Amino acid sequence: MPHLALYTFGVLKSPLADPGPRTREFYDIGEAVYRTISQHPGYLARAEAADGDRGVLFEADWGAWGQFAVPTWYDKGRTPETTALATTLSLWTDLRPAFDAVYTGVHRAALNRRYDWFERTGHPNYVFWWVSDGVIPTWRDGVSRLEHLHDHGSAPHAFTFHHAFAPDGTPMSTDAHHTWVQELRGVTRPDS
């Protein structure tokens, strides 16, 4: 059975190493979000650095998730002192559990505050794609899919909640999916 890969990427307004209140608040909320999402039904796994250091993204050992990579439009620092990004790579059983995890609870509260922490870049900040059972997506896969989404829009290769595709590549047009999209429109801003 295929699994759903999710890659997220955002450019922070200040570096991760910034000791200021905004960065501390983002970290504190981020820790709560990770704890909650990792316990959500349908969540399978996420990329985590072997050493667990949040500030050493580029040099970290990510194991089967591959070498760390970022989209071409990221133009900020790449050292522990200058890195200004937040990104995730995760696996899910299906679209509905991922939707529920992202748009409810503590993650929804964090999404409502995203512009306190993240720059508006004009680029998509997440992308989905299907992977075969047993396949672990890599950071490079996520970057490639996000860039494809930016350049070509939603397609079976790279898609969003708004324009999702089933594992066989057909557009998701079931009544349930339309209900999810309506829920999504009710909880997100038009520019997300």
Side-chain angles (χ1 to χ4, degrees):
M1 171 181 251
H3 292 142
L4 188 68
L6 168 60
Y7 173 74
T8 66
F9 186 85
V11 179
L12 292 165
K13 291 181 176 180
S14 57
L16 290 168
D18 179 355
R22 182 180 296 169
T23 302
R24 279 195 307 276
E25 180 183 49
F26 174 75
Y27 268 138
D28 292 346
I29 289 172
E31 292 299 324
V33 167
Y34 281 135
R35 274 193 309 279
T36 302
I37 284 187
S38 69
Q39 298 169 2
H40 198 279
Y43 168 86
L44 297 172
R46 73 176 169 101
E48 294 185 78
D51 61 10
D53 189 344
R54 298 183 292 194
V56 186
L57 299 173
F58 291 91
E59 295 83 18
D61 173 8
W62 294 93
W65 301 89
Q67 182 177 3
F68 190 74
V70 295
T72 56
W73 65 79
Y74 174 73
D75 61 359
K76 294 198 175 183
R78 293 172 183 253
T79 67
E81 297 78 29
T82 61
T83 298
L85 63 89
T87 185
T88 64
L89 179 59
S90 57
L91 277 172
W92 296 84
T93 56
D94 206 346
L95 195 62
R96 182 62 198 222
F99 176 91
D100 289 343
V102 169
Y103 290 105
T104 61
V106 295
H107 193 271
R108 178 181 176 181
L111 275 179
N112 290 340
R113 303 247 350 261
R114 66 188 171 274
Y115 296 121
D116 292 345
W117 307 305
F118 292 97
E119 294 180 359
R120 296 177 193 233
T121 65
H123 296 275
N125 56 19
Y126 76 94
V127 65
F128 288 109
W129 71 99
W130 294 101
V131 297
S132 300
D133 188 26
V135 171
I136 297 175
T138 66
W139 289 108
R140 188 72 228 143
D141 295 336
V143 167
S144 173
R145 305 287 176 140
L146 192 70
E147 290 175 343
H148 186 276
L149 177 66
H150 177 260
D151 294 343
H152 305 286
S154 279
H157 180 75
F159 56 91
T160 66
F161 281 124
H162 293 284
H163 303 285
F165 291 83
D168 67 2
T170 58
M172 292 185 73
S173 59
T174 64
D175 290 337
H177 179 69
H178 289 296
T179 300
W180 302 344
V181 171
Q182 291 304 316
E183 289 173 19
L184 177 63
R185 289 185 178 139
V187 298
T188 61
R189 298 175 188 176
D191 59 349
S192 15

